[in-house]
Amino acid sequence: MSVPLLFAMPGNEAMTQRLVPLTRGDVGTLQVRNFPDRETYLRFRDKLSGRSVALVCTLADPDPKILPLLFAADTARELGAVKVGLVAPYLAYMRQDRRFHPGEAITSQRFAAILSQSLDWLVTIDPHLHRYKSLAELYSIPTRVLHSGTTLSKWIVEKVPNPFIVGPDEESEQWVAEIARESGAPYSVLHKRRLEDERVEIDVGHLGPIGNKTPILVDDIISSGGTMLEAIRKLAELVRIPPVCLAVHGIFANHSDQLLVDAGARLVTTDSIENPHAEIGIAPLLASAISEFVS
């Protein structure tokens, strides 16, 4: 197996350091800064010829990150890297998967086309596949989609006594059911009706009494937090035990994490996006997939 050379895009240094020993790779030095006019300056400090390169870049808040990432990928190829891959624990631009109104850009397709031109492979965790069956419908390069369900289930078993798993909407049922099965907990799914981008209506009438169980609201992404907040309010009518909000990716737009904590929830995510609530490590999942592409 060849030894990968891992480079942290800005803000991804901690994840890269966690991945290096697990992949038995080398950590490279990449200098990225801005000129006074905000254009990007980028320089590799390592010899790349004949090496397999992995760029580590979680893609929350993606727009400022894309150009430096593309510059890095293209430059690595130009400097002789045999393969250049992207390790994106969180993969952006999965939301707009069809044209909802005339004239809209289907950005999920365009974003995938842009990345596919500059990269040889892609590894990510639990992308928000809604109307797509797989990333192969979007990306023309090999991709590896990893699932954190087992990792979340282990955390529940170790950290939460007497859990009751709750899915935020009908779309989450298959995923939530698997987590509940692996953690040996009962589960149910809420009925959600979206009123606006950040306003939803939640029906918990079908749940019945939860008793002395700890409700665990599980979702793949917490962005605005609107669904979780409304679910917390509704669950308070059924159970006195404070809920746990558990997510793979914690984006927390507009400080929504603080709103959830203020509402009485314990908030826990994986470290796919660095945040104060990231208790669950996913580096071992990523490392196994990186090894597949650089072997």
Side-chain angles (χ1 to χ4, degrees), residues 143-220:
T143 60
R144 182 80 157 81
V145 172
L146 305 165
H147 300 288
S148 62
T150 297
T151 303
L152 297 183
S153 299
K154 289 180 179 177
W155 182 89
I156 291 170
V157 170
E158 293 173 1
K159 302 293 185 180
V160 182
N162 208 11
F164 185 92
I165 313 300
V166 181
D169 52 36
E170 292 86 349
E171 294 174 2
S172 68
E173 180 160 12
Q174 182 175 357
W175 190 54
V176 168
E178 182 66 15
I179 292 174
R181 183 187 66 78
E182 292 191 358
S183 59
Y187 82 95
S188 189
V189 174
L190 304 179
H191 300 311
K192 179 177 75 173
R193 185 167 70 93
R194 186 167 293 280
L195 305 177
E196 298 174 3
D197 283 350
E198 297 185 10
R199 289 184 60 236
V200 297
E201 185 177 77
I202 298 289
D203 176 20
V204 298
H206 64 289
L207 290 183
I210 298 178
N212 63 345
K213 298 184 184 300
T214 300
I216 304 179
L217 285 156
V218 180
D219 209 347
D220 58 345

Side-chain angles (χ1 to χ4, degrees), residues 4-174:
L5 187 54
L6 280 71
F7 290 94
M9 298 303 295
N12 293 268
E13 293 80 8
M15 177 60 75
T16 303
Q17 289 297 329
R18 290 192 284 270
L19 287 171
V20 167
L22 296 173
T23 59
R24 298 182 180 179
D26 297 325
V27 61
T29 301
L30 177 63
Q31 182 182 358
V32 182
R33 60 178 173 83
N34 290 114
F35 289 107
D37 61 1
R38 305 299 298 165
E39 290 185 0
T40 295
Y41 172 89
L42 186 145
R43 181 186 181 188
F44 285 97
R45 294 285 189 172
D46 305 83
K47 292 183 178 180
L48 306 187
S49 181
R51 300 295 299 270
S52 288
V53 167
L55 302 173
V56 182
C57 187
T58 202
L59 288 171
D61 189 21
D63 289 9
K65 300 175 181 177
I66 295 307
L67 274 181
L69 175 62
L70 296 176
F71 291 153
D74 291 341
T75 302
R77 281 177 161 176
E78 182 185 354
L79 295 176
V82 293
K83 286 185 179 181
V84 181
L86 171 61
V87 182
Y90 172 73
L91 182 62
Y93 281 105
M94 297 298 297
R95 178 193 307 273
Q96 193 80 17
D97 50 14
R98 69 179 177 90
R99 188 168 284 119
F100 298 93
H101 304 286
E104 287 183 341
I106 306 178
T107 49
S108 58
Q109 295 178 2
R110 295 310 313 142
F111 186 72
I114 291 168
L115 288 186
S116 295
Q117 290 174 356
S118 295
L119 297 163
D120 295 303
W121 52 266
L122 166 67
V123 170
T124 190
I125 290 184
D126 289 320
H128 192 66
L129 292 168
H130 181 31
R131 294 175 181 85
Y132 299 116
K133 293 182 179 179
S134 73
L135 286 186
E137 295 182 43
L138 291 167
Y139 287 82
S140 59
I141 57 175
T143 60
R144 182 80 157 81
V145 172
L146 305 165
H147 300 288
S148 62
T150 297
T151 303
L152 297 183
S153 299
K154 289 180 179 177
W155 182 89
I156 291 170
V157 170
E158 293 173 1
K159 302 293 185 180
V160 182
N162 208 11
F164 185 92
I165 313 300
V166 181
D169 52 36
E170 292 86 349
E171 294 174 2
S172 68
E173 180 160 12
Q174 182 175 357

